[in-house]
Amino acid sequence: MYVVGLTGGIASGKTTVAALIAAQGINLVDADIVAREVVAIGSDGLKQISTHFGEQILQDDGSLNRALLRDTIFSNNANKQWLNHLLHPMIRAELLAQLAASNSPYTLLVVPLLVENKLTTLCDHVLVVDVEEQVQITRTIARDNVSVQQVKAILQSQATREQRLAAADSVVVNNGRQQLTSDVAVLHQKFLELATAGMAD
Ligand code: ATP
């Protein structure tokens, strides 16, 4: 099992890069999807959350009221810690299970907060998608229809560009789609070689 971790700040181009790599027949494991799975209806995670915070944390259909949970942990550090202690080990275990079940030459582990949540330990190689902050701001506003202030607040809550780059084994700059496509093709070949050689960086 050879794991390439893919990370980058908001709107840096992770989804775009992941799609290019998936098109080469490489399996993806997506931390955002796993984070939703561990609190899906019927999950142990959701049961523990509703026991701890009360049934009012659920919506009428029994699913998690994410907005309410976000408010609950935003205003209370103890709640935030309790939730992180519950979910982080569950997410980590599920990521490991999905990685172990993957059978492509290497597996791409897509984690927006790879550096922040110290999930680099699951990776043999870390690929960072890098762009200027101004580009992140412009692309987020165009995609999500949010204000400059809202994007800046999200940027503030994430690792800095420097912190992310310090954790990188490879960097791909996403200034243009054409250049990105050819750079990712080169990186894919490099990952195949590293995986075959079984080399961790
Ligand atoms: P997030 O973590 O915020 O979900 P992401 O890192 O997965 O974002 P993408 O969704 O791949 O980033 O890209 C962000 C937005 O920027 C998308 O709307 C995408 O279409 C656009 N985009 C990505 N790459 C480029 C590019 N090279 N030129 C122009 N627009 C781009």
Side-chain angles (χ1 to χ4, degrees):
M1 166 167 109
Y2 192 85
V3 179
V4 175
L6 173 65
T7 194
I10 183 168
S12 54
K14 295 176 292 296
T15 308
T16 309
V17 170
L20 290 168
I21 291 181
Q24 302 290 327
I26 297 302
N27 294 333
L28 305 183
V29 174
D30 186 320
D32 279 349
I33 293 174
V34 168
R36 283 196 292 274
E37 285 172 355
V38 300
V39 295
I41 292 180
S43 66
D44 182 44
L46 188 59
K47 282 194 199 85
Q48 294 205 43
I49 289 170
S50 63
T51 303
H52 188 80
F53 292 116
E55 298 274 317
Q56 64 271 22
I57 207 76
L58 303 178
Q59 308 199 82
D60 290 345
D61 66 356
S63 66
L64 183 61
N65 186 335
R66 293 174 176 282
L68 186 58
L69 184 66
R70 218 177 298 124
D71 288 346
T72 307
I73 65 170
F74 183 76
S75 54
N76 184 317
N77 214 34
N79 284 346
K80 185 178 180 177
Q81 278 198 2
W82 181 87
L83 191 70
N84 284 343
H85 280 132
L86 173 73
L87 295 183
H88 283 188
M90 283 184 175
I91 293 169
R92 197 181 181 92
E94 182 57 26
L95 290 174
L96 276 170
Q98 292 192 10
L99 289 170
S102 168
N103 58 2
S104 54
Y106 66 90
T107 305
L108 193 70
L109 175 62
V110 187
V111 191
L113 302 180
L114 186 81
V115 173
E116 294 84 341
N117 290 336
K118 301 188 173 55
L119 286 166
T120 46
T121 52
L122 298 183
C123 308
D124 297 292
H125 192 98
V126 174
L127 171 61
V128 169
V129 195
D130 185 45
V131 283
E132 300 277 342
E133 253 190 28
Q134 191 48 54
V135 175
Q136 287 180 276
I137 293 170
T138 311
R139 287 183 188 161
T140 306
I141 290 171
R143 185 189 58 184
D144 301 338
N145 196 22
V146 290
S147 69
V148 181
Q149 287 73 18
Q150 281 170 303
V151 188
K152 286 195 170 165
I154 294 167
L155 284 169
Q156 281 287 323
S157 74
Q158 299 188 338
T160 63
R161 209 174 157 194
E162 289 69 28
Q163 285 167 334
R164 217 176 278 112
L165 289 173
D169 297 303
S170 296
V171 178
V172 65
V173 178
N174 181 16
N175 284 339
R177 290 187 190 275
Q178 223 177 343
Q179 184 67 45
L180 185 73
T181 303
S182 66
D183 287 350
V184 170
V186 171
L187 282 165
H188 170 63
Q189 290 306 321
K190 175 172 153 180
F191 298 152
L192 286 177
E193 284 166 25
L194 286 170
T196 307
M199 283 163 57
D201 301 87

